[in-house]
Every structure is written in C-alpha cells, then in structure tokens.
Amino acid sequence: MAASMKLVHLFGVVLVVLVIITGLSEVNGAGECGKANPDMEAFKLAPCASAAQDVNASVSGRCCAQVTKLGKNPKCLCAVMLSNTAKSSGIKPEIAMTIPKRCNIADRPVGYHCGAYTLP
C-alpha cells in the first residue's frame, strides 16, 4: 500500500512539472506565432475578409501586405487562417489558402500543409 501511494505521489509530481513546463513554453513564445495569439493576429487580416470568402473577389493591397508579413512564418499564417476568429468571421480556409498566390507573393510557402489544406 505504501509503495502504491509513493507511485501515485511521484506520478502527481511529474504531472505538475509537465504542466508547469508546458505553460512556461507558451509564455516564452513557443506558439505558432511566437508570443502573439493567432486569434488576435487574425484581426490583422480584416482587409482580406471578402477575398477569403470568395475566390473571385479581388484581393486588396492592404490584404496582400498583411499576408506577406504573416507568410514569413508559414506556421503562424496557417494558425491564423484556421483560428477561431477567422472561422467565426466567415473565412473559408480552402479559399483563404489561395490568397498568397492571388497576391503574387513570390516567396510564399507553396505546398505547405495547413491542416487539411495545402497552400497553392
């Protein structure tokens, strides 16, 4: 009985340490967008709203500028395009993924897998 209690205690300590380490890595910017929250970064893509809902809509210069900035980190761009904020604003990920190409961004991450989607 005492041995099993020690094992339970040890497991609890290990679990607490893992939770603390995981929490600290998030605080230190280990997320897709560094210290920035993808949901907050999604607001920067407001100029892309119509272009991310309709593949035939024109893409504004302001939209392309923001996508170019976020596209320097493909993981962040992906996280932003798939964020809850983007989804709740009516963004269609399969269309949003076409914006870097529609902006003619030369160094876009062609073929980058973003969830179930691939950047063209």
Side-chain angles (χ1 to χ4, degrees), residues 8-26:
V8 168
H9 178 71
L10 178 63
F11 178 73
V13 170
V14 169
L15 185 60
V16 168
V17 169
L18 286 175
V19 168
I20 290 171
I21 290 171
T22 302
L24 289 176
S25 69
E26 286 297 315

Side-chain angles (χ1 to χ4, degrees), residues 9-118:
H9 178 71
L10 178 63
F11 178 73
V13 170
V14 169
L15 185 60
V16 168
V17 169
L18 286 175
V19 168
I20 290 171
I21 290 171
T22 302
L24 289 176
S25 69
E26 286 297 315
V27 170
N28 290 326
E32 295 91 346
C33 297
K35 293 180 181 180
N37 180 326
D39 280 301
M40 296 307 291
E41 291 295 301
F43 288 111
K44 294 178 182 176
L45 294 181
C48 302
S50 61
Q53 295 173 0
D54 179 2
V55 74
N56 296 315
S58 63
V59 185
S60 72
R62 286 180 45 207
C63 171
C64 291
Q66 290 300 329
V67 170
T68 299
K69 286 179 190 175
L70 286 172
K72 293 184 187 307
N73 178 349
K75 287 182 181 180
C76 180
L77 180 61
C78 179
V80 169
M81 289 185 172
L82 297 176
S83 69
N84 290 329
T85 300
K87 290 177 190 172
S88 67
S89 65
I91 299 299
K92 296 178 181 174
E94 67 276 9
I95 296 174
M97 298 301 160
T98 68
I99 292 175
K101 182 177 182 178
R102 290 162 56 201
C103 288
N104 295 315
I105 299 171
D107 59 346
R108 69 185 184 273
V110 176
Y112 185 81
H113 295 284
C114 187
Y117 309 99
T118 302

